[in-house]
Amino acid sequence: MSEIMIKSEKLTKIFRTDEVETTALNEVSFEIRQGEFVAIMGPSGCGKSTLLNILGLLDNPSAGAYFFLGKDVTRSSERQRANLRKQNIGFVFQNFNLIDELTVFENIELPLIYLGMPARDRKKRVDEVMAQMQISHRAKHFPLQLSGGQQQRVAVARAVIAKPALILADEPTGNLDSAHGEEVMNLLNELNVNGTTIIMVTHSQRDAEYSQRVIRLFDGQIINENIKKSLN
Amino acid sequence: MKAGSALTYDYIRLAFRRMTKQPVYALINLVGLSAGLMVFILIMLFMVREYSYDLCWTNYERIHRIHATLDFNGRVDHFALSSYNMAQSMKTEFPEVEAATMIFRTSFNDDNIGITAWHNDQMFELPSFTYADEDFFRVFDYPFAEGDPLTALREPKSMVINTELSKRFFGNETALGKMLQINKTTYVITGVIDKSLCPSHLQFDALASLSTFPASSFEQFSRDWFWLLGYTYVKFIDEEAAKGFNEKLNWLSAEKIKPWIEQVNVDGNIVMHHQPVSDIHFENSLQYDSTSNTNSTMVKLFGFIAVFLLLIASINYMNLSTARSMKRAREIGIRKVAGATRPQLIVQLLGESLMMTLLSFLVAVSLAEISMPYFNDLIGLELRLSLLYAAASPMPLIILLASVLIVGLLSGLFPALLLSSFSPVRVLRPGMAGGNKHGFSSGNLRKVLVVIQFIISVGMIIGTLVVSGQLRFMQKHDKGFNSEQVMVIHFPADSMLYANTEVIRQQLLALPEVDEVSMGQSLPGYKSGRLMFFVGDTVKPQVHTMNLYVVDHEFFDLLGIPLLNGRLFSKEYPNDASTAFVVNKAAADYLGYPDPLAVEMNCGMDVKGKIIGVVDNFHYSSLHQPIEPLVFILKKKRVDYLAIRINTAATAATAERISSVWQAFDQKHHFHYTFLDERFAKQYRHEQRMLSLFGYFSLLVVLISCLGLYGLTSFSMEQRIREIGIRKVLGAGRGSILIMTTRSFMGMVLLAGFIAIPLAYYLLDRWLSGFAFRIGLHYYWFAAGLLIALAVAFATVLFQALKALDTRPVDAIKYE
């Protein structure tokens, strides 16, 4: 058995506005081991994205505890979380979230800059990943000049550029047609085969097929977990 | 490349791309900041120049001017002048005075009339010259290009000229030993000084040795403590010595002057003062002070305007950046997700504003260089950019660069703090336009900033209107005499010409376009002399100082000044020149006799007799001053001005014919003429300049504010396009949408107006109080200022609102 990467203990997230209190997550507990491919599913508003944001250290839980790589990060400072994030986590979003003013190359390069990698190494690494994602010929293009599938490949390239141990994907195929969607799922699958842990929020049963385990959320609670494939 | 520099490169690259992708926002910022910085640079130069007067002398803080206050019968006059005896006392009585010098006042200083000088049969024009004693250069250590400062003014008929004149008169030859003839005196050039390096209140182009005057003159000079004929300067041995010097001056009054006053049996008093030479440039309370003096309030006001302009441009940057923060939120979120820390993002965003400011600064420097000649023309100075870095002190340059830095940081700080605070969770969610939990407060801040911009705008517009109103009032105000179509010829000091005055008059009168000719030493718009008059009882007469006009028989008629009482000077009374005075109404009132015509009077110009007539008041000086008591006497020989009333339009041809008559008598002097109304208007050149500057600056202020408003409205319309669409679907008419979209902006300008009006009232009332004759601060100036601002702002907003009106509701609703 590989080591536990993520441990969630009674994670709770409550959103408060002046009038309304919404419980997005209600005492959610689970573990994810290194190298797993986990899909989180559930209807809209069930708390999938909230969970992913907390797992990605973008947001804090209201209660409960979160252990990342064996460390309690529930109350970590913004700086500590930014550090953990840039060294360990890559993100893929439904709407790609590329910076329009940066070229494909520059978008992919961004995390490496914040990691402080020297320019020559950065170029080498970006070139490798672009080749791997088959977007080398688009290096100098801007995001808006690309198709949706290409944009998502750039986003995946950016997510993996720093060789993170964990990739969080929030409906990665949500804005893509089925052919392009499949391409992206194959990419994620390949990364998983090579050892990257992947947690993916999705609506699509087809995409969930790629995962080894599905966590189903409803009204902020886990209603069941299916283990579909044996772990490597 | 290190990570830090990679980031910097990344930021710069991105900032440039953003500028080219959103040229309107970039341009608004660039234009605003460049214009603001350009004006800032120009005004800095102006201020550097204004604050550098008389600082170039070695130990300038030890140099002081001695000046006198005269008090006769409670009429107190503060003069910049002192008497010859005062200067002599400074040299002999006080051990703490290291050196003292006197420089004469000449009428040439005031009127800017050239003096003709001859060298080897060549005629030159000296713009101005005066006399100073041999110690002058011990106090004012002008750099000497030629000659010896210690001896240059020792011998009689020595003359020191400036390098500019030397070049003009003698080319590249040495000027030393060259002869210059002025009237009947031939001077030897004993020194050439460089005046260009030293802005000073001392206005002269050439200095002749005081010892040129014959010994008898000095006897006369020293006979009278009241005779204020020049300026006295002392250099103390140290700064301490200056502190207790008032007591020494009081001692001098008690020991030397009081006994003399008692001896001459005059009911008057002299008080002496001293002031640091570096304070003189901003001195405005003394009579006969340097014409280069200026009002420090005005200089400071322009400083404020410069800061205001920068502030307004910075506000544009802040407002546009925070308004557009929604658009950038995603980028900030992505960067955070990619590992950027908040300090890194703040550095990036501040870097952007600094870059924009630096870019604008470069544009501003070029603009300043280009506009320099026009600006110089406006303010009547010769400024150059090199004043900033070539100045004695690095302070101006430091202040300028620091200001650029501050503007960059100030503009960027709030947007940087706001944007970097965005949470990536909120901003990266699909369909989420922004994650601005500070949305409310930044919107309010924008409103506050826009209000500040328009307070300044409305204030400046009102200021421009009132200044122009006052100027027009002064120009159009009935001066009490007829100044139109009066040509004035400056009469050179030449006894040959004095002898011919009557012939000249007759020949001029023979021209069909000439109606009348008057010759005298005084004309309205020119400086008048002030004299002591001994009034009443001959044993113990009252002493009054009043202004003196030396005129001829035709003076009153030519200028159309009405007689109120008695008679004017008349050829039927041949003794009028030595026995008769005419006074203006102000003098008659001031003297206070029930019947002024019975009053006996005498003055030092060998006139002793009665007041024979009272004429109506007229503005013989500018409307800054009240109409002061004025006494007229009849001229004897000397003439300074020749006034000619012509009956046709003042054309060049008429001037040509008159000048040919004149030049038949005189080819030995430069011929100068002007028109009396032009000359009179020149007294308001300070206000004229101020108005021009004010006008231009207001225009810039309003323009930059409106640029910002334009950017802000365009953003706000973008945001509200969906709301407008929905309202249209629900049946809203164009009118109601127009009101809805423009209301809040108009409200801000209106609020700004209500704040600006009392401020403007207070400041303008203070400014107007400097005029003896002034316009009232009527409500319509303020209403007009506010309306103009409202109209310009409305036009700006309307342009955008109309664009929003024209969008089809279906497009607007699809927008997401």
Side-chain angles (χ1 to χ4, degrees):
Chain A
M1 270 297 223
S2 46
E3 279 181 34
I4 291 172
M5 177 181 257
I6 281 171
K7 187 175 174 195
S8 140
E9 277 179 4
K10 298 190 169 176
L11 275 185
T12 300
K13 182 75 184 178
I14 298 167
F15 292 109
R16 287 188 183 88
T17 59
D18 291 343
E19 308 263 308
V20 195
E21 200 177 274
T22 316
T23 307
L25 289 177
N26 192 358
E27 302 196 343
V28 172
S29 303
F30 60 90
E31 286 175 4
I32 294 173
R33 288 174 184 279
Q34 279 183 6
E36 264 194 285
F37 191 148
V38 178
I40 301 172
M41 295 190 77
S44 289
C46 69
K48 304 186 296 287
S49 293
T50 306
L51 179 61
L52 204 67
N53 286 335
I54 292 172
L55 297 183
L57 298 169
L58 294 175
D59 208 352
N60 280 329
S62 309
Y66 174 30
F67 296 87
F68 184 69
L69 292 172
K71 246 171 72 184
D72 184 356
V73 292
T74 322
R75 301 276 167 259
S76 289
S77 70
E78 173 55 34
R79 183 181 285 274
Q80 288 167 327
R81 288 191 289 142
N83 260 327
L84 276 174
R85 220 157 50 210
K86 70 181 171 190
Q87 282 164 15
N88 300 295
I89 309 176
F91 291 86
V92 179
F93 302 94
Q94 176 184 359
N95 55 346
F96 324 134
N97 277 331
L98 299 174
I99 297 178
D100 295 339
E101 288 87 357
L102 295 182
T103 61
V104 165
F105 183 97
E106 290 158 1
N107 263 294
I108 298 173
E109 186 191 24
L110 204 57
L112 300 184
I113 291 179
Y114 287 117
L115 279 173
M117 186 184 277
R120 196 184 310 155
D121 299 352
R122 290 203 304 268
K123 180 160 177 5
K124 197 168 148 239
R125 178 87 188 110
V126 175
D127 284 341
E128 276 170 23
V129 173
M130 283 197 304
Q132 189 189 343
M133 302 290 160
Q134 298 170 6
I135 43 173
S136 300
H137 59 297
R138 296 290 198 181
K140 291 196 170 145
H141 287 80
F142 289 96
L144 296 177
Q145 297 170 301
L146 306 181
S147 72
Q150 285 169 332
Q151 287 192 44
Q152 194 59 302
R153 269 190 281 160
V154 175
V156 174
R158 188 181 59 189
V160 303
I161 190 76
K163 298 186 175 164
L166 171 65
I167 285 184
L168 298 176
D170 193 353
E171 307 211 28
T173 64
N175 280 358
L176 301 176
D177 60 38
S178 58
H180 283 122
E182 202 174 320
E183 249 175 51
V184 168
M185 286 316 299
N186 285 331
L187 275 176
L188 290 176
N189 195 44
E190 206 179 306
L191 289 168
N192 177 246
V193 169
N194 290 326
T196 310
T197 311
I198 292 178
I199 304 174
M200 173 177 75
V201 164
T202 185
H203 273 117
S204 151
Q205 192 57 49
R206 238 175 87 186
D207 289 356
E209 298 292 325
Y210 287 84
S211 68
Q212 297 143 0
R213 178 153 69 109
V214 175
I215 297 174
R216 285 186 194 279
L217 283 180
F218 188 78
D219 279 352
Q221 288 179 307
I222 296 181
I223 50 171
N224 72 34
E225 284 184 63
N226 305 340
I227 298 173
K228 299 168 47 219
K229 288 186 199 169
S230 64
L231 295 175
N232 296 326
Chain B
M1 196 159 35
K2 288 253 173 67
S5 54
L7 269 179
T8 315
Y9 177 61
D10 175 55
Y11 297 158
I12 293 174
R13 192 173 44 185
L14 191 64
F16 267 110
R17 271 185 212 153
R18 185 167 294 114
M19 279 183 213
T20 51
K21 288 210 167 177
Q22 288 153 344
V24 174
Y25 291 107
L27 262 178
I28 289 176
N29 283 326
L30 188 70
V31 169
L33 285 170
S34 307
L37 282 167
M38 175 195 77
V39 171
F40 192 76
I41 292 171
L42 291 177
I43 291 181
M44 274 281 294
L45 286 171
F46 171 64
M47 293 180 80
V48 165
R49 160 88 192 187
E50 290 298 311
Y51 281 103
S52 64
Y53 270 72
D54 292 298
L55 298 183
C56 57
W57 318 116
T58 309
N59 302 120
Y60 68 86
E61 56 288 309
R62 281 161 45 192
I63 303 174
H64 284 230
R65 180 170 71 181
I66 307 294
H67 59 99
T69 297
L70 300 193
D71 176 356
F72 294 108
N73 288 310
R75 184 175 156 87
V76 180
D77 285 301
H78 303 280
F79 294 97
L81 299 160
S82 46
S83 61
Y84 180 75
N85 280 349
M86 293 176 194
Q88 290 310 107
S89 311
M90 293 303 129
K91 287 176 193 271
T92 54
E93 300 285 346
F94 304 107
E96 60 267 58
V97 172
E98 185 182 288
T101 186
M102 178 165 224
I103 175 170
F104 268 28
R105 179 182 101 82
T106 63
S107 61
F108 313 119
N109 285 355
D110 305 325
D111 294 343
N112 251 340
I113 308 160
I115 303 140
T116 305
W118 289 83
H119 171 68
N120 291 349
D121 294 333
Q122 265 188 293
M123 193 162 81
F124 294 103
E125 191 167 29
L126 267 179
S128 67
F129 106 106
T130 186
Y131 300 90
D133 65 33
E134 64 169 300
D135 291 328
F136 183 78
F137 294 111
R138 288 180 63 202
V139 178
F140 298 105
D141 50 350
Y142 281 103
F144 265 66
E146 294 185 66
D148 177 6
L150 290 181
T151 57
L153 292 177
R154 182 168 294 166
E155 300 302 324
K157 301 179 186 175
S158 306
M159 182 175 273
V160 174
I161 58 176
N162 67 23
T163 44
E164 214 176 292
L165 285 186
S166 169
K167 191 142 185 70
R168 186 139 52 90
F169 292 1
F170 311 116
N172 291 326
E173 287 177 39
T174 174
L176 279 193
K178 294 266 181 351
M179 304 289 186
L180 266 191
Q181 193 195 334
I182 296 171
N183 295 330
K184 290 206 169 110
T185 312
T186 303
Y187 296 89
V188 185
I189 306 294
T190 51
V192 177
I193 54 171
D194 189 355
K195 284 195 77 195
S196 66
L197 301 170
C198 199
S200 166
H201 76 287
L202 293 164
Q203 304 281 302
F204 64 87
D205 295 282
L207 272 186
S209 51
L210 194 63
S211 55
T212 308
F213 285 91
S216 57
S217 297
F218 291 103
E219 269 172 45
Q220 260 189 310
F221 296 158
S222 52
R223 218 179 287 153
D224 191 345
W225 283 88
F226 285 132
W227 190 4
L228 307 178
L229 41 68
Y231 306 92
T232 302
Y233 300 88
V234 295
K235 185 165 192 175
F236 292 108
I237 48 170
D238 53 36
E239 279 182 73
E240 270 314 295
K243 286 178 186 154
F245 201 63
N246 265 335
E247 281 169 36
K248 301 291 181 80
L249 290 175
N250 291 341
W251 169 85
L252 186 72
S253 290
E255 290 295 310
K256 304 265 172 173
I257 305 177
K258 276 267 160 58
W260 174 80
I261 292 177
E262 277 162 26
Q263 188 195 321
V264 295
N265 195 19
V266 167
D267 194 5
N269 192 20
I270 302 178
V271 181
M272 287 159 75
H273 312 273
H274 65 101
Q275 69 180 147
V277 71
S278 53
D279 288 357
I280 294 176
H281 185 58
F282 293 126
E283 174 63 65
N284 285 301
S285 58
L286 305 180
Q287 299 185 45
Y288 298 102
D289 210 339
S290 171
T291 49
S292 67
N293 284 9
T294 187
N295 190 334
S296 67
T297 317
M298 210 47 63
V299 177
K300 282 180 199 145
L301 178 71
F302 284 124
F304 278 121
I305 291 178
V307 172
F308 282 163
L309 263 168
L310 275 190
L311 180 71
I312 288 177
S314 293
I315 287 178
N316 278 356
Y317 190 96
M318 272 186 257
N319 276 353
L320 293 180
S321 311
T322 56
R324 286 170 55 237
S325 61
M326 304 285 184
K327 291 203 157 180
R328 289 201 65 179
R330 211 164 62 92
E331 177 203 332
I332 300 303
I334 295 166
R335 284 183 184 274
K336 279 197 170 176
V337 168
T341 57
R342 192 168 180 205
Q344 275 174 324
L345 290 169
I346 291 177
V347 168
Q348 175 190 351
L349 294 162
L350 276 182
E352 280 173 22
S353 66
L354 272 177
M355 211 173 83
M356 178 54 91
T357 316
L358 275 179
L359 191 67
S360 307
F361 179 61
L362 294 181
V363 176
V365 170
S366 323
L367 286 178
E369 183 69 50
I370 294 168
S371 56
M372 195 74 73
Y374 307 102
F375 184 67
N376 279 336
D377 218 32
L378 271 180
I379 58 171
L381 287 175
E382 280 178 29
L383 304 175
R384 357 171 250 291
L385 274 184
S386 62
L387 270 177
L388 278 177
Y389 49 85
S393 134
M395 225 33 211
L397 198 61
I398 292 174
I399 291 176
L400 179 65
L401 295 179
S403 308
V404 173
L405 198 69
I406 290 170
V407 168
L409 292 177
L410 180 78
S411 307
L413 191 64
F414 183 70
L417 290 176
L418 176 76
L419 273 162
S420 65
S421 73
F422 286 161
S423 142
V425 176
R426 288 158 182 254
V427 297
L428 294 181
R429 198 172 295 164
M432 182 74 185
N436 180 3
K437 60 184 166 192
H438 305 286
F440 178 75
S441 62
S442 86
N444 273 357
L445 181 81
R446 276 199 290 283
K447 282 183 190 159
V448 171
L449 292 177
V450 169
V451 170
I452 291 176
Q453 283 185 318
F454 276 89
I455 290 174
I456 299 169
S457 298
V458 173
M460 290 284 294
I461 296 173
I462 295 173
T464 308
L465 292 176
V466 171
V467 172
S468 80
Q470 172 68 15
L471 188 66
R472 218 171 27 247
F473 168 79
M474 292 195 293
Q475 285 165 343
K476 295 269 183 288
H477 187 78
D478 181 11
K479 295 189 267 290
F481 68 93
N482 185 358
S483 65
E484 269 156 49
Q485 293 178 306
V486 177
M487 184 169 158
V488 178
I489 294 171
H490 302 300
F491 208 103
D494 186 325
S495 49
M496 281 290 285
L497 287 168
Y498 295 154
N500 278 328
T501 48
E502 206 40 49
V503 190
I504 295 171
R505 180 201 307 278
Q506 290 312 325
Q507 296 218 356
L508 285 170
L509 283 170
L511 292 173
E513 50 270 81
V514 172
D515 270 357
E516 228 164 351
V517 176
S518 162
M519 298 187 211
Q521 294 172 29
S522 320
L523 271 180
Y526 293 84
K527 271 259 161 77
S528 56
R530 186 172 282 228
L531 205 63
M532 282 163 57
F533 293 88
F534 303 89
V535 183
D537 187 357
T538 44
V539 182
K540 173 81 181 176
Q542 282 189 321
V543 181
H544 296 282
T545 60
M546 289 181 281
N547 290 326
L548 177 77
Y549 258 39
V550 182
V551 301
D552 64 358
H553 292 99
E554 290 77 15
F555 176 86
F556 298 101
D557 197 32
L558 184 130
L559 293 179
I561 298 165
L563 176 72
L564 298 178
N565 200 355
R567 67 170 177 90
L568 295 172
F569 299 121
S570 163
K571 287 180 180 161
E572 289 166 25
Y573 298 84
N575 289 333
D576 270 1
S578 51
T579 61
F581 297 95
V582 170
V583 297
N584 71 350
K585 188 170 175 298
D589 294 344
Y590 163 69
L591 291 171
Y593 291 88
D595 178 13
L597 295 187
V599 176
E600 296 268 350
M601 206 156 77
N602 74 79
C603 73
M605 306 276 290
D606 292 328
V607 188
K608 187 169 191 244
K610 278 191 174 160
I611 294 175
I612 56 162
V614 178
V615 293
D616 204 358
N617 284 338
F618 64 99
H619 289 279
Y620 58 98
S621 58
S622 72
L623 269 67
H624 296 98
Q625 281 114 36
I627 298 174
E628 293 189 326
L630 179 63
V631 180
F632 303 84
I633 60 172
L634 199 55
K635 77 150 173 95
K636 295 187 178 72
K637 210 166 100 186
R638 191 190 146 100
V639 174
D640 288 336
Y641 308 107
L642 197 157
I644 304 163
R645 174 165 300 285
I646 49 180
N647 52 28
T648 60
T651 59
T654 309
E656 189 59 40
R657 267 198 294 282
I658 289 172
S659 81
S660 64
V661 169
W662 172 263
Q663 276 164 333
F665 290 92
D666 176 38
Q667 299 91 39
K668 287 199 309 188
H669 300 93
H670 283 274
F671 175 67
H672 286 284
Y673 75 89
T674 182
F675 288 93
L676 194 56
D677 46 2
E678 283 172 21
R679 166 70 204 190
F680 207 83
K682 261 195 186 164
Q683 298 178 101
Y684 305 123
R685 61 181 181 272
H686 188 76
E687 283 74 24
Q688 186 77 58
R689 275 178 194 153
M690 186 178 143
L691 176 65
S692 313
L693 279 179
F694 230 91
Y696 284 116
F697 290 155
S698 319
L699 197 69
L700 270 179
V701 163
V702 174
L703 209 70
I704 299 176
S705 304
C706 281
L707 265 181
L709 193 61
Y710 178 87
L712 216 53
T713 340
S714 88
F715 165 77
S716 139
M717 294 303 161
E718 259 173 55
Q719 271 196 321
R720 297 182 75 173
I721 208 132
R722 194 158 166 269
E723 176 194 345
I724 293 168
I726 293 169
R727 281 176 188 268
K728 275 183 148 183
V729 170
L730 297 177
R734 294 172 71 89
S736 74
I737 286 174
L738 209 59
I739 290 172
M740 176 196 101
T741 45
T742 52
R743 191 172 45 200
S744 75
F745 288 107
M746 291 298 98
M748 283 185 245
V749 178
L750 207 61
L751 174 66
F754 288 131
I755 299 172
I757 284 172
L759 286 174
Y761 185 93
Y762 171 74
L763 292 172
L764 287 166
D765 196 50
R766 272 188 54 181
W767 178 71
L768 284 172
S769 68
F771 295 88
F773 298 87
R774 49 165 280 189
I775 51 171
L777 278 173
H778 298 295
Y779 71 92
Y780 48 77
W781 299 114
F782 300 93
L786 181 56
L787 279 178
I788 291 174
L790 276 172
V792 175
F794 185 69
T796 310
V797 176
L798 188 67
F799 184 76
Q800 295 285 352
L802 286 178
K803 269 204 320 202
L805 271 185
D806 288 339
T807 48
R808 295 190 309 157
V810 63
D811 292 338
I813 287 167
K814 271 200 300 203
Y815 185 92
E816 257 293 82

